[in-house]
């Protein structure tokens, strides 16, 4: 019976040690959990701030793109206005789209061919070239109709 008492006593001591160790580990885990929750909250706040900053940045980018597009549009308008101003000049000399044309029928045929090539809806077409072609066509048409 004394042996049983000794064994129970030693087991009781061993179990208390384990219990103390478990309590200590539980406290450590609770502290780590608390730290983790604080870090999680800080990260959530940071992500919210990043999302807000991204929205602000995207709005500013849209504004800047709109400004750039407006500037490009204004430049195009100025270019067209200066072109139309030059159109009013009586001494307009085109780049020679209709050189070699001698009759009104050949003029119309050449005009149609040029429109197929340079029309803005085509891959390599643009409105400035078409305006030049149109101006030269009008000049050639007047010259050929007076003959």
């Amino acid at each position: 019976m004394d042996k049983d008492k000794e064994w129970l006593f030693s087991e009781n001591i061993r179990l208390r040690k384990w219990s103390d160790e478990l309590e200590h580990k539980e406290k450590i885990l609770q502290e780590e959990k608390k730290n983790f929750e604080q870090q999680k909250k800080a990260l959530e706040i940071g992500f919210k701030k990043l999302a807000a900053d991204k929205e602000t940045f995207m709005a500013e980018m849209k504004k800047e793109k709109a400004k750039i597009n407006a500037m490009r549009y204004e430049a195009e308008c100025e270019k067209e206005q200066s072109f139309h101003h030059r159109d009013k000049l009586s001494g307009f000399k085109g780049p020679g789209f209709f050189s070699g044309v001698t009759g009104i029928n050949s003029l119309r045929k050449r005009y149609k061919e040029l429109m197929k090539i340079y029309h803005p809806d085509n891959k390599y077409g643009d409105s400035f070239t078409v305006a030049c072609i149109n101006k030269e066509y009008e000049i050639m048409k007047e010259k050929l109709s007076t003959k």
Side-chain angles (χ1 to χ4, degrees):
M1 187 136 132
D2 285 337
K3 282 187 174 185
D4 287 341
K5 284 182 182 180
E6 275 182 42
W7 180 82
L8 282 175
F9 182 74
S10 66
E11 283 298 308
N12 192 17
I13 292 174
R14 191 173 62 85
L15 288 175
R16 279 196 184 173
K17 259 186 177 177
W18 281 0
S19 176
D20 290 344
E21 286 177 17
L22 284 176
E23 284 177 14
H24 179 70
K25 287 181 180 180
E26 185 178 6
K27 285 180 184 178
I28 291 173
L29 285 174
Q30 286 175 351
E31 288 177 17
E32 287 178 357
K33 182 179 178 182
K34 185 179 176 181
N35 289 337
F36 175 77
E37 291 295 327
Q38 288 174 345
Q39 290 175 351
K40 181 181 171 187
K41 285 180 184 178
L43 285 173
E44 286 173 350
I45 291 169
F47 281 127
K48 286 179 183 177
K49 186 174 181 339
L50 279 175
D53 289 347
K54 180 182 177 184
E55 289 296 321
T56 304
F57 176 76
M58 295 303 286
E60 288 177 15
M61 287 297 294
K62 282 183 181 180
K63 287 178 186 177
E64 288 300 317
K65 283 182 180 180
K67 284 181 187 177
I68 290 170
N69 287 337
M71 289 170 53
R72 284 181 182 160
Y73 178 75
E74 288 174 10
E76 278 294 318
C77 287
E78 288 177 14
K79 184 178 171 183
E80 271 190 47
Q81 285 175 354
S82 67
F83 176 73
H84 289 303
H85 179 69
R86 281 185 275 134
D87 278 353
K88 294 177 184 175
L89 299 175
S90 60
F92 176 79
K93 300 232 183 216
F97 290 108
F98 298 98
S99 60
V101 173
T102 56
I104 194 78
N105 289 335
S106 61
L107 178 70
R108 288 182 183 138
K109 183 177 179 183
R110 182 70 181 140
Y111 178 78
K112 287 180 183 180
E113 290 171 356
L114 289 169
M115 285 298 111
K116 287 179 185 176
I117 297 169
Y118 293 106
H119 193 275
D121 291 343
N122 293 336
K123 185 176 183 179
Y124 300 108
D126 67 291
S127 57
F128 181 77
T129 306
V130 169
C132 291
I133 291 169
N134 286 334
K135 182 62 180 174
E136 190 175 346
Y137 175 73
E138 292 299 321
I139 292 169
M140 290 294 292
K141 193 167 139 184
E142 285 179 29
K143 285 182 183 178
L144 292 173
S145 64
T146 57
K147 284 185 179 180

